[in-house]
Amino acid sequence: MGPGPSDVHPRILEALSRPTIGHLDPAFVAMMEQTKELLQYAFQTNNALTMPVSGPGSAGMETCFVNLVEPEDKVIVCRNGVFGGRMKENVERCGAHPIMVEDQWGQPVDPNKLEDALKAHPDAALVAFVHAETSTGAQSDAQTLVELAHRHDCLTIVDTVTSLGGTPVKVDEWQIDAVYSGTQKCLSCTPGLSPISFSEAAVDRMRKRKHRVQSWFMDLNLVMGYWGGGAKRAYHHTAPVNALYGLHEALTILREEGLEQAWSRHHRHHLALRAGLEAMGIPFVVSEQARLPQLNAVAIPEGIDDGEVRQRMLHEFGLEIGAGLGDLAGKIWRIGLMGHSSRAENVLLCIAALEAILSDMKAPIETGTALREVHKALNA
Ligand SMILES: Cc1ncc(COP(=O)(O)O)c(C=O)c1O
């Protein structure tokens, strides 16, 4: 129950162990085509350029930036946590100029601040932001931010590493231009692949580049020679065959459950966890409207040693919860309820473990009612 990787579904573990076949084997190629369709479903898009990048979420992030950003471009980057900071680094490494829109950690991106930046920089080409900030548990209003960017003729790059499969991500309806995600959060697959999707407008921008993409491996013009399909499909790099079996299975499970059911399961278990935490008097860091159900950031009670609690949770209960990052280190815990980890028994175990350990450490919490509140919320 950390910030990812989440528990991997047993069906996915089984899929990973299937015999490795060639990355151009007809059976594998057929599975690639199905994987693209399943990803279109997960992202809610008809974008033809929808595929998994061979590499973790950071590789998907970098693929979006290196293909869409050219030297000297101005890119507006909204930063409200760790991963917005990485977007800034990506822009700089493309030889472009990041214009930063800063929000406090734990807050969603403020659309008014983005609008001010767009007005102040009418020559900006792109807007980039993180939909679900894993470092703080805050979710931003992607649809509104994309709409604003388009009104000012900017394309958008959106990080959905933690949101995909856990809360709505509607690429076509929200008109996102380039989106990337990860496999190890709400898709409950092993880490190491990064689904991406590019709109027609993003593909058009790529085609019109003046400079060659500086990364050979991530140049989508080359990668699509393999993933694009058709009779001319050719070797680009040796695809991670078994990891892709796993992703195919993960997406099949998501399709079987249904996206809306998956979103509501995440929400239901978040409410149950919240009921238990609130009964103990442990407050959330993020305001209710912007809270991610799959990543619950809560304040550590006064005088309690963060590391000791997490170690005891792990050793005495076999349960991982996440630490705070950056300025929030030692101040918050990040409790994940992602994908296959988002289950009633996990919520019950987590609340029981926290209550037992914190009361043993004489923390200033309320005891004796938390499990009853979780149980009530689960049955509501
Ligand atoms: C919001 C966000 N973006 C990007 C990443 C990077 O993904 P990865 O660690 O798979 O490279 C993460 C990882 O946790 C993330 O949470």
Side-chain angles (χ1 to χ4, degrees):
M1 297 178 76
S6 57
D7 278 349
V8 177
H9 195 289
R11 269 176 60 184
I12 299 170
L13 293 174
E14 183 277 324
L16 289 164
S17 68
R18 288 178 200 156
T20 307
I21 57 174
H23 56 276
L24 286 167
D25 185 296
F28 189 69
V29 167
M31 196 200 76
M32 286 166 72
E33 289 304 304
Q34 286 170 13
T35 302
K36 288 198 290 188
E37 278 176 34
L38 288 163
L39 277 178
Q40 286 173 327
Y41 170 69
F43 276 129
Q44 295 284 281
T45 184
N46 290 316
N47 286 340
L49 202 172
T50 301
M51 54 158 278
V53 171
S54 301
S58 308
M61 179 189 276
E62 199 149 335
T63 297
C64 291
F65 282 91
V66 297
N67 282 279
L68 293 176
V69 179
E70 293 210 62
E72 303 305 331
D73 276 345
K74 270 191 185 177
V75 181
I76 299 180
V77 175
C78 307
R79 173 164 59 183
N80 62 341
V82 167
F83 294 99
R86 292 197 180 176
M87 288 179 150
K88 175 176 185 274
E89 279 249 354
N90 270 271
V91 172
E92 288 166 351
R93 284 165 193 250
C94 292
H97 306 288
I99 312 292
M100 299 307 292
V101 172
E102 304 279 359
D103 275 293
Q104 235 183 339
W105 287 32
Q107 302 279 340
V109 173
D110 181 345
N112 295 320
K113 289 188 188 170
L114 173 60
E115 188 159 31
D116 289 346
L118 285 161
K119 283 182 184 155
H121 300 277
D123 51 343
L126 292 149
V127 169
F129 65 89
V130 179
H131 181 216
E133 239 314 337
T134 326
S135 61
T136 67
Q139 177 161 253
S140 294
D141 179 352
Q143 186 171 18
T144 299
L145 298 176
V146 171
E147 216 176 279
L148 272 172
H150 286 172
R151 220 181 289 151
H152 293 263
D153 296 326
C154 284
L155 296 190
T156 48
I157 297 177
V158 184
D159 179 319
T160 63
V161 169
T162 280
S163 42
L164 188 69
T167 47
V169 173
K170 300 183 177 180
V171 170
D172 284 1
E173 191 181 320
W174 299 349
Q175 300 187 3
I176 296 172
D177 299 291
V179 63
Y180 61 90
S181 189
T183 42
Q184 76 275 28
K185 312 274 189 190
C186 298
L187 299 181
S188 263
C189 194
T190 42
L193 291 173
S194 179
I196 58 164
S197 185
F198 277 44
S199 71
E200 266 306 309
V203 171
D204 195 44
R205 182 175 166 82
M206 259 170 28
R207 282 208 196 99
K208 292 185 177 145
R209 284 182 69 96
K210 295 190 200 77
H211 303 83
R212 201 156 69 150
V213 173
Q214 73 265 34
S215 160
W216 176 86
F217 183 67
M218 289 172 191
D219 183 342
L220 286 174
N221 290 306
L222 305 179
V223 176
M224 289 312 280
Y226 176 57
W227 270 100
K232 286 200 288 192
R233 188 189 303 269
Y235 166 71
H236 173 262
H237 63 280
T238 309
V241 170
N242 292 60
L244 287 163
Y245 294 160
L247 177 60
H248 181 273
E249 193 66 23
L251 294 168
T252 303
I253 293 170
L254 181 64
R255 180 104 200 210
E256 283 170 9
E257 181 178 17
L259 268 178
E260 303 214 338
Q261 286 79 0
W263 300 333
S264 62
R265 174 170 53 82
H266 283 87
H267 184 64
R268 190 166 67 249
H269 295 140
H270 156 73
L271 291 182
L273 184 79
R274 182 180 93 174
L277 291 165
E278 286 179 349
M280 286 190 274
I282 297 178
F284 275 77
V285 173
V286 177
S287 67
E288 196 169 343
Q289 319 83 271
R291 249 174 233 167
L292 280 168
Q294 62 273 49
L295 201 279
N296 298 270
V298 297
I300 298 174
E302 273 301 304
I304 290 299
D305 183 75
D306 164 35
E308 190 181 337
V309 174
R310 285 185 297 106
Q311 252 186 30
R312 288 189 63 178
M313 295 278 282
L314 194 58
H315 293 136
E316 295 168 27
F317 291 87
L319 191 66
E320 178 203 5
I321 60 168
L325 293 179
D327 287 350
L328 297 175
K331 296 181 187 152
I332 67 164
W333 288 313
R334 292 178 303 148
I335 306 175
L337 278 170
M338 297 177 173
H340 185 54
S341 296
S342 182
R343 301 197 301 276
E345 63 262 38
N346 278 351
V347 178
L348 287 160
L349 176 64
C350 180
I351 293 298
L354 265 180
E355 183 172 331
I357 291 166
L358 288 175
S359 58
D360 191 48
M361 289 169 74
K362 312 252 179 307
I365 60 158
E366 303 290 325
T367 55
T369 57
L371 276 182
R372 201 170 60 224
E373 292 304 321
V374 172
H375 186 245
K376 261 203 292 201
L378 287 171
N379 289 304

